Amino acid sequence: MKDDKISRSVIKRLPRYYRILTDLEKAGMDRISSKELSIRLSVTASQIRQDLNCFGGFGQQGYGYNISDLRKEIASILGIGDVAKTILIGAGNLGRAIATHVPFTDLGFELIGIYDSDTLFSGLRIKNLPISSMDSLPEFCQENQPQTAILCIPDKSAPEIVSLLMQLGIRSFWNFTHYDIASNFPTAIVENVNLSDSLMTLSYLHKYGDTKL
Amino acid sequence: MKDDKISRSVIKRLPRYYRILTDLEKAGMDRISSKELSIRLSVTASQIRQDLNCFGGFGQQGYGYNISDLRKEIASILGIGDVAKTILIGAGNLGRAIATHVPFTDLGFELIGIYDSDTLFSGLRIKNLPISSMDSLPEFCQENQPQTAILCIPDKSAPEIVSLLMQLGIRSFWNFTHYDIASNFPTAIVENVNLSDSLMTLSYLHKYGDTKL
């Protein structure tokens, strides 16, 4: 990588680039002008160039971009292809929806275990994985060394469970709770999904009718 | 409002301010210094001042912030309190999780109808609302005038359904699909939740171990 201080806003755009390039490749396109790509991605051609330059740059003057190559490069930048073993904690409505809805394999993650503290769920299966009791988690982690955990648990359980998971060697968290993991565990790698905050953002946009923010 | 060109990044921080102020108020606190508040919110005191100044400013020199007043002001900025009638389209795993998991009423939304094109779901209830067939949507919208729609439908159904909803008077969309509503319907108000993009962001962060982005 050319520069290791990539801003979070660049990183946040790459998944969309990857997704749209995947669609273009599936549609049978092999190359694309920077102007056409910028229309597809809804950003300016100069923004794309600037974003890709953070990683060394990929376009050729007068040729544009080779879709398959660019997609592969972005996949590699995003770490798609290295498979991260992942466990899901919390098998309530949200956990079940995440387990069934998200295409983990396509995104470089392998869901290898589902855990819930409620023994009511024990023995049930989601996507062919059994829901296991939290008691069996330490042994499972020792044997299988998952690196990533998805947290679909109540906020109040989060401090204790994150602390346990860190001890068990989990490094990164896809966090659906409101618990501020990053402040409490500075070495943790965290991506938060805060559905309530997202809906409040819509509330604001709706109130002020501003579609251009 | 002091300035109507508020950046999206400020808007994105306000829901978190609101949430944390709600917790502080519930914990019985009535006022807070700007330094203490900045620790709770994990942003600098100057950032908070700057964010709130966009809306006219609320702190008093030497006093800090009155928690209840500040919370009320932010609620009003976010449009929490004005209730937006909302319908959910798509009652699959994700739709069901959203319907049961998100505290709509607390956030200024009232879920008044759930629709799915799959008649298999017809007659089932989520949170005491029946799942209705799409056929009955036009009449329902005419009678009840919902303003907001939550889209938990397959990407490929989105263009047709968004077009229908716009005709039925829906103004704002909480969009869980990958369909780019804003580009196709410039007057629509859109907040996207893209779970795949979020997981790819975690993949990147995990790969480079950068916790400081």
Side-chain angles (χ1 to χ4, degrees), chain A residues 1 4 6-8 11-12 14-16 18-19 42 55 76-80 82 84 93-94 96-98 100-104 107 109 147-148 171-174 176 178 180 183 186-213, chain B residues 1 4 6-8 11-12 14-16 18-19 42 55 76-80 82 84 93-94 96-98 100-104 107 109 147-148 171-174 176 178 180 183 186-213:
Chain A
M1 210 187 312
D4 53 15
I6 310 293
S7 82
R8 189 141 194 155
I11 308 307
K12 289 269 175 197
L14 290 181
R16 196 158 53 86
Y18 176 76
R19 184 157 44 75
S42 315
F55 302 98
S76 148
I77 292 166
L78 288 170
I80 297 167
D82 316 352
N93 280 304
L94 186 64
R96 291 201 298 271
I98 299 300
T100 50
H101 182 83
V102 175
F104 290 102
L107 305 172
F109 291 81
Q147 304 167 297
T148 302
R171 290 178 61 219
S172 59
F173 295 87
W174 199 22
F176 286 79
H178 292 150
D180 185 353
S183 293
T187 60
I189 292 157
V190 186
E191 166 74 4
N192 296 306
V193 180
N194 195 317
L195 295 176
S196 294
D197 286 8
S198 169
L199 189 54
M200 282 194 266
T201 302
L202 182 63
S203 170
Y204 175 90
L205 297 173
H206 183 94
K207 184 172 180 188
Y208 294 107
D210 193 339
T211 62
K212 298 290 171 293
L213 276 173
Chain B
M1 210 188 310
D4 53 14
I6 309 295
S7 82
R8 189 143 195 153
I11 308 306
K12 289 268 174 197
L14 290 181
R16 197 159 53 85
Y18 176 76
R19 185 156 45 73
S42 314
F55 302 98
S76 147
I77 292 165
L78 288 170
I80 297 167
D82 317 350
N93 280 305
L94 186 63
R96 291 201 297 271
I98 298 301
T100 49
H101 182 81
V102 174
F104 289 103
L107 304 172
F109 292 80
Q147 304 167 297
T148 302
R171 289 178 60 219
S172 59
F173 295 86
W174 200 22
F176 287 79
H178 292 150
D180 185 351
S183 293
T187 59
I189 292 156
V190 185
E191 166 74 6
N192 295 306
V193 180
N194 195 317
L195 295 175
S196 293
D197 286 8
S198 169
L199 188 56
M200 281 194 266
T201 302
L202 182 64
S203 171
Y204 176 90
L205 297 173
H206 182 94
K207 184 172 180 186
Y208 295 106
D210 192 341
T211 62
K212 298 291 171 292
L213 275 176

Side-chain angles (χ1 to χ4, degrees), chain B residues 85-89 112-115 132-150 161-173:
Chain B
K85 288 185 190 170
T86 303
I87 54 176
L88 168 68
I89 315 289
I112 61 169
I114 302 176
Y115 287 83
S132 307
S133 129
M134 290 297 285
D135 303 341
S136 59
L137 187 60
E139 198 187 324
F140 181 85
C141 287
Q142 222 160 13
E143 276 174 25
N144 297 283
Q145 312 253 322
Q147 304 167 297
T148 302
I150 307 166
I161 287 180
V162 172
S163 169
L164 170 68
L165 292 169
M166 292 288 289
Q167 284 166 41
L168 296 173
I170 299 287
R171 289 178 60 219
S172 59
F173 295 86

Side-chain angles (χ1 to χ4, degrees), chain A residues 35-127:
Chain A
K35 192 180 164 193
E36 178 65 17
L37 185 61
S38 86
I39 293 167
R40 302 294 183 121
L41 300 180
S42 315
V43 292
T44 64
S46 109
Q47 177 78 77
I48 296 173
R49 229 174 1 252
Q50 211 177 306
D51 286 353
L52 297 179
N53 273 339
C54 298
F55 302 98
F58 304 100
Q60 275 171 43
Q61 201 78 39
Y63 174 91
Y65 296 98
N66 177 303
I67 289 172
S68 164
D69 289 354
L70 183 56
R71 179 177 170 275
K72 269 185 218 135
E73 289 292 346
I74 294 181
S76 148
I77 292 166
L78 288 170
I80 297 167
D82 316 352
V83 175
K85 287 185 191 172
T86 303
I87 53 174
L88 168 66
I89 315 290
N93 280 304
L94 186 64
R96 291 201 298 271
I98 299 300
T100 50
H101 182 83
V102 175
F104 290 102
T105 317
D106 293 352
L107 305 172
F109 291 81
E110 186 194 2
L111 191 59
I112 61 169
I114 301 177
Y115 287 82
D116 199 292
S117 60
D118 189 340
T119 49
L120 246 178
F121 290 118
S122 287
L124 296 178
R125 299 179 87 86
I126 304 174
K127 281 209 140 183

